[in-house]
Amino acid sequence: MAWEQVLMPPALLAGGLAAGGLAISVLAAPLFTTLPTVMYVPVHQGLVTRFDPFMPVSLASCLFCDAALVLAAQGGAVRLLAGAAALLLACAMTVSLTKNVPINRWLATLDPRALPADFQRRDPRTRWIRWNRVRGALAVAALVANVAAAALLI
C-alpha cells in the first residue's frame, strides 16, 4: 500500500473538519456584533470551550498528514499540493495562535457581570471576526489543495 493511500484520508478528514469548524464560526461570527456586551462575553466564552481542543487537533492532524505526504508521495504534483496545504495550515495556525487565541484567553478571564470599565474601547469583536475570516479562508484553501491532490490519486 502506498503512503498516499494511508495519509490522504486522514488529511481530508482532519482538513474538512478544520475548514468546516472555521466556516461555521465565520458564518456565526456576525451574530457577535449584534449581541449586547453583557451577552457577548458569555456566548464567546461558551463557544470557545467547545471549539477547543477540536480545532487545534484538526489543524495539527491535517498539517502532520500533509507534511508526511510531502515526504512520502510518489507524484510531484501531489507533493506540491500537499506542501501548499501544509503551508496554508501553518499560516492558519499562526493566525490562531497570534491573533485569535490571545483574544480568547483575555475574554476567558472576564466576569460578564463585572466587565472592565474600558471594555467598550477594548471590545475585540471586530478584530476577532477579521482574523477568524483569515484563518477560515486559509483552512478552506488547504482543503481545496488536499482535494486536488486526492483527485490526482484517483
Side-chain angles (χ1 to χ4, degrees):
M1 177 178 288
W3 280 107
E4 293 97 330
Q5 294 172 319
V6 173
L7 295 167
M8 189 54 73
L12 290 170
L13 176 63
L17 290 171
L22 286 169
I24 288 169
S25 66
V26 165
L27 294 172
L31 171 67
F32 289 164
T33 62
T34 66
L35 294 174
T37 302
V38 69
M39 289 179 64
Y40 160 67
V41 173
V43 167
H44 187 101
Q45 289 171 339
L47 287 174
V48 167
T49 60
R50 273 123 186 117
F51 278 87
D52 288 342
F54 167 76
M55 292 308 303
V57 169
S58 297
L59 288 164
S61 297
C62 189
L63 176 62
F64 172 79
C65 290
D66 282 324
L69 279 165
V70 169
L71 299 173
Q74 298 299 313
V78 172
R79 293 167 94 164
L80 182 66
L81 288 164
L87 179 61
L88 290 162
L89 291 164
C91 290
M93 293 170 76
T94 300
V95 169
S96 292
L97 292 170
T98 62
K99 302 298 182 182
N100 294 85
V101 169
I103 293 170
N104 294 346
R105 287 186 178 147
W106 177 67
L107 287 170
T109 67
L110 301 180
D111 178 353
R113 296 172 308 251
L115 293 173
D118 65 345
F119 185 84
Q120 293 303 325
R121 182 183 60 78
R122 298 172 64 189
D123 189 337
R125 285 181 263 202
T126 302
R127 284 181 294 124
W128 190 92
I129 290 168
R130 180 178 53 246
W131 289 112
N132 192 55
R133 286 179 181 147
V134 170
R135 67 185 181 160
L138 291 164
V140 169
L143 178 61
V144 169
N146 276 331
V147 168
L152 293 174
L153 296 172
I154 296 176

